[in-house]
Amino acid sequence: VEFSDFQCPFCLRAQPAVERVLSTYGDRIRFTYRHYPLANHPNARPSAEAATCAQEQGKFWEYHDRLFANPSKLSDDDLRQHASSLGLDGQRFNACFQERKHKADVDADIREGNDAGVSGTPAFFINGRVLDGAQPFDAFRRLIDEELALKKK
């Protein structure tokens, strides 16, 4: 489980390691992205809500990747443009985003992060074991391999 913020430079720095984890372990692991927009990042919450609107149209991961690929383009207009460039139904996306339809979903992720002890981003939980910050792939590999070995016992 990753708790992340689209405006967080450390989350951006962690993405190559996360991508390598996903490509290395494939279906041997389950990866869940949770929103944890930090209050000091004014574009983080709108970005999280927009990504959840993209998820409605089956494009969460494409939208996620687009936001991390364009960290300086997170204004409301940019978020709408990202949706358009990914071929999302603009009317549906804009209505969802404007209505803040997924505010409660983002709030729920934040609450769950708080309950789990998250205080910053990125924060990772590997079978409940905490890995804080932008860690190198080897830090993930060590924990994942330990957990996979335990699963085999």
Side-chain angles (χ1 to χ4, degrees):
V1 177
E2 175 184 14
F3 286 89
S4 187
D5 170 331
F6 289 113
Q7 198 174 358
C8 169
F10 300 105
C11 297
L12 176 62
R13 192 178 309 158
Q15 285 311 295
V18 170
E19 290 171 15
R20 189 167 170 202
V21 164
L22 295 172
S23 67
T24 300
Y25 291 96
D27 64 359
R28 294 185 297 159
I29 63 168
R30 185 179 76 200
F31 181 79
T32 304
Y33 182 94
R34 305 301 296 270
H35 298 289
Y36 200 84
L38 300 174
N40 61 327
H41 294 152
N43 295 322
R45 175 176 277 280
S47 296
E49 292 177 16
T52 309
C53 289
Q55 183 176 355
E56 279 190 357
Q57 297 185 45
K59 298 272 188 169
F60 173 80
W61 289 110
E62 295 89 336
Y63 199 84
H64 165 281
D65 294 348
R66 173 80 49 138
L67 296 184
F68 277 121
N70 297 281
S72 65
K73 295 186 184 276
L74 299 176
S75 71
D76 287 1
D77 286 341
D78 292 328
L79 297 173
R80 288 182 188 91
Q81 180 56 46
H82 294 315
S84 175
S85 65
L86 290 172
L88 297 176
D89 177 325
Q91 228 176 359
R92 187 172 157 204
F93 177 88
N94 290 336
C96 175
F97 182 60
Q98 189 170 334
E99 293 167 12
R100 299 192 67 198
K101 183 176 177 183
H102 294 287
K103 179 187 181 306
D105 298 321
V106 173
D107 288 343
D109 280 0
I110 293 168
R111 271 192 310 279
E112 288 184 31
N114 290 340
D115 291 348
V118 173
S119 61
T121 57
F124 299 91
F125 292 85
I126 300 168
N127 283 356
R129 295 171 68 184
V130 179
L131 188 61
D132 276 325
Q135 298 289 327
F137 171 75
D138 288 339
F140 287 95
R141 181 175 56 198
R142 181 180 54 79
L143 286 178
I144 293 170
D145 287 350
E146 288 173 8
E147 290 300 317
L148 288 173
L150 289 172
K151 186 178 176 184
K152 288 181 182 177
K153 291 183 178 182

